[in-house]
């Protein structure tokens, strides 16, 4: 295990290097892999890399407000920790470490229902209201209601249903090696509940439960409109890090049409390939409320547990501050699409292409 404390890392690529040293090939491929041809994984990066900035100069940027807000809670950055199953396979800190890192840094985290030690134990270890619970629906209405009640009783401030996993994507890096993550192992062979989940279930949830509801895996304006029509509180644009439907669009590419369809009736979260401060700022310019961090969080957890995740967030914060200052703005509300310009990407996109100082062995 790498001995570095979280705050020894000076750059994000050093965090990924430490993660690689600490993980065996199975765990490494579990994080970086995507479905089939991994085209969606690459499009997440390509979409971000195709946006250049149009900065404005000669503005006083000596005081910059970096904070964000989600469901009425202040965040130190407009960033949250995406749900990651089996975090405990990456570092013993696991799901508790995720919640602790978010609380220490001052943002929110989403605990996956397939991450140990589970929602009650994580809540016990990290009291506070910065936690959201994310569910894979692996049971009937009573299963959903049970989780909603437990999340509410344990102080989770919102409930997230992941809706892009009707069928499990073929992640060929894992399949070829016969590797099953702990969360995959716990899935029943003939699991059909996620396949059957539909808009009536969302309506029923909103009619039954007071806890705010987020739908994760929205990829079109049509579905975003439907979600807000049912009173959903958070529309989470995501292609699951390219691990589900292959040949989808990049998260950032989907964002503008969803922001338009939601029209302020819910908050918009986006993920997919976000690795750098500039990536976060691009999403904010296109109207996101919050960006979620998936693989970067996984690498940071593998590198140094909760301390590693805090350090990754500190580095993101430094990058975001410099980016905003150099764009000539002091808060995200000053940004809009005129700060962006579509260009050709200068790098060939892949899961780690945002970190060019990593050598080809990655
Ligand atoms: C995930 N993701 C995920 N999503 C979810 O809703 N529940 C889960 O348990 C998991 N588990 C999981 C494990 C691993 C190793 C990865 C990489 C991803 C998807 C995750 O929440 C998020 O949507 C993507 O990771 C975002 O893309 P980036 O940031 O990884 O490119």
């Amino acid at each position: 295990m790498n001995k570095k404390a979280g705050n020894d890392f000076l750059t994000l690529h050093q965090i990924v290097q430490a993660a690689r040293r600490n993980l065996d090939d199975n765990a490494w491929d579990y994080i970086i892999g995507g479905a089939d041809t991994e085209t969606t994984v690459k499009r997440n990066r390509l979409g971000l890399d195709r946006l250049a900035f149009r900065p404005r100069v000669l503005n006083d940027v000596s005081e910059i407000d970096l904070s964000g807000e989600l469901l009425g809670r202040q965040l130190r950055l407009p960033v949250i920790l995406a749900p990651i199953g089996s975090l405990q396979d990456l570092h013993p800190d696991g799901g508790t470490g995720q919640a602790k890192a978010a609380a220490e840094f001052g943002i929110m985290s989403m605990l996956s229902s397939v991450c140990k030690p589970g929602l009650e134990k994580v809540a016990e270890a990290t009291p506070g209201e910065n936690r959201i619970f994310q569910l894979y629906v692996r049971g009937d209405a009573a299963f959903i209601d049970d989780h909603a009640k437990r999340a509410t009783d344990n102080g989770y401030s919102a409930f997230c249903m992941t809706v892009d996993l009707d069928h499990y994507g073929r992640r060929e890096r894992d399949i070829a090696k016969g590797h099953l993550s702990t969360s995959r192992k716990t899935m029943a062979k003939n699991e059909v509940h996620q396949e059957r989940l539909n808009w009536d279930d969302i309506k029923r949830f909103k009619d039954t439960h007071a806890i705010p509801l987020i739908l994760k895996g929205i990829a079109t304006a049509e579905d975003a409109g439907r979600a807000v029509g049912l009173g959903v509180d958070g529309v989470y644009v995501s292609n699951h890090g390219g691990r589900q439907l292959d040949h989808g669009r990049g998260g950032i590419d989907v964002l503008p049409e969803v922001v338009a369809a939601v029209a302020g009736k819910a908050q918009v979260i986006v993920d997919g390939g976000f690795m750098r401060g500039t990536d976060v700022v691009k999403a904010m310019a296109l109207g996101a409320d919050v960006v979620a961090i998936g693989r970067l969080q996984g690498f940071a957890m593998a590198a140094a547990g909760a301390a590693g995740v805090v350090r990754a967030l500190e580095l993101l914060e430094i990058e975001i501050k410099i980016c905003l200052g150099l764009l000539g703005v002091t808060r995200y509300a000053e940004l809009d699409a005129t700060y962006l310009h579509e260009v050709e990407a200068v790098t060939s996109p892949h899961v780690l292409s945002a970190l060019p100082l990593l050598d080809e062995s990655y």
Side-chain angles (χ1 to χ4, degrees):
M1 192 62 67
N2 183 273
K3 296 271 175 347
K4 275 193 170 193
N7 55 9
D8 285 353
F9 299 110
L10 300 176
T11 66
L12 291 170
H13 77 265
Q14 289 169 326
I15 290 180
V16 175
Q17 285 167 334
R20 184 66 192 100
R21 282 195 297 274
N22 290 346
L23 296 176
D24 64 21
D25 289 350
N26 282 345
W28 175 255
D29 281 344
Y30 167 63
I31 303 191
I32 66 165
D36 303 351
T37 66
E38 300 190 341
T39 297
T40 312
V41 181
K42 291 177 185 144
R43 289 232 176 90
N44 278 337
R45 270 318 312 168
L46 183 63
L48 288 160
D49 292 341
R50 275 205 304 232
L51 295 173
F53 286 116
R54 298 181 70 247
R56 316 295 154 83
V57 296
L58 290 173
N59 295 305
D60 179 349
V61 288
S62 54
E63 297 285 335
I64 299 178
D65 178 4
L66 297 173
S67 67
E69 179 269 324
L70 182 63
L71 300 171
R73 288 180 174 78
Q74 279 291 115
L75 309 174
R76 178 163 150 190
L77 289 179
V79 169
I80 61 170
L81 301 180
I84 303 262
S86 310
L87 275 173
Q88 73 283 351
D89 289 356
L90 305 179
H91 190 280
D93 285 357
T96 307
Q98 181 202 41
K100 280 193 172 150
E104 183 184 332
F105 184 81
I107 59 166
M108 295 175 93
S109 57
M110 270 198 192
L111 176 70
S112 165
S113 57
V114 292
C115 185
K116 296 230 154 64
L119 79 86
E120 280 87 4
K121 291 218 168 83
V122 168
E124 257 168 51
T126 50
E129 297 185 330
N130 68 319
R131 290 172 280 102
I132 297 169
F133 180 72
Q134 174 267 319
L135 185 70
Y136 282 139
V137 176
R138 292 181 176 175
D140 56 12
F143 172 93
I144 296 176
D145 291 347
D146 173 58
H147 282 85
K149 181 171 183 321
R150 286 163 58 201
T152 306
D153 291 349
N154 284 279
Y156 288 79
S157 55
F159 194 86
C160 172
M161 273 198 231
T162 294
V163 294
D164 62 2
L165 204 113
D166 309 22
H167 292 261
Y168 199 88
R170 280 176 62 81
R171 307 178 191 157
E172 294 187 349
R173 290 174 198 258
D174 298 341
I175 293 170
K177 288 199 253 82
H179 174 65
L180 290 179
S181 68
T182 309
S183 58
R184 185 85 167 100
K185 275 185 210 147
T186 60
M187 210 170 147
K189 272 224 167 61
N190 47 0
E191 171 54 55
V192 291
H193 295 97
Q194 198 91 28
E195 294 174 17
R196 290 185 182 144
L197 192 70
N198 63 64
W199 290 103
D200 291 341
D201 298 305
I202 304 306
K203 179 169 185 326
R204 196 194 66 83
F205 188 99
K206 283 304 295 176
D207 291 344
T208 313
H209 300 287
I211 190 169
L213 178 65
I214 297 170
L215 296 186
K216 177 174 185 283
I218 299 295
T220 58
E222 291 88 330
D223 281 349
R226 229 168 152 174
V228 293
L230 292 175
V232 164
D233 305 273
V235 173
Y236 188 154
V237 174
S238 177
N239 54 40
H240 217 107
R243 297 158 80 81
Q244 285 297 107
L245 177 68
D246 195 19
H247 287 277
R249 291 181 291 166
I252 193 87
D253 299 322
V254 172
L255 180 62
E257 69 177 53
V258 167
V259 168
V262 168
K265 292 188 216 98
Q267 285 192 290
V268 177
I269 304 167
V270 64
D271 74 18
F274 288 84
M275 298 286 282
R276 309 296 296 239
T278 47
D279 300 335
V280 174
V281 174
K282 288 174 186 179
M284 297 305 282
L286 292 176
D289 290 295
V290 166
V291 168
I293 301 298
R295 289 187 181 81
L296 180 59
Q297 174 200 162
F299 296 133
M301 182 62 79
V309 177
V310 171
R311 184 58 186 154
L313 291 167
E314 287 170 355
L315 291 169
L316 266 189
E317 182 176 46
I318 293 167
E319 293 187 353
I320 291 172
K321 184 171 183 194
I322 292 172
C323 179
L324 290 179
L326 293 177
L327 288 178
V329 301
T330 57
R331 53 202 182 95
Y332 305 105
E334 293 169 39
L335 294 170
D336 59 26
T338 69
Y339 282 77
L340 299 172
H341 184 79
E342 273 198 39
V343 290
E344 272 188 34
V346 296
T347 47
S348 172
H350 64 89
V351 64
L352 291 169
S353 56
L355 303 166
L357 295 186
L358 296 173
D359 65 38
E360 301 89 64
S361 65
Y362 291 83

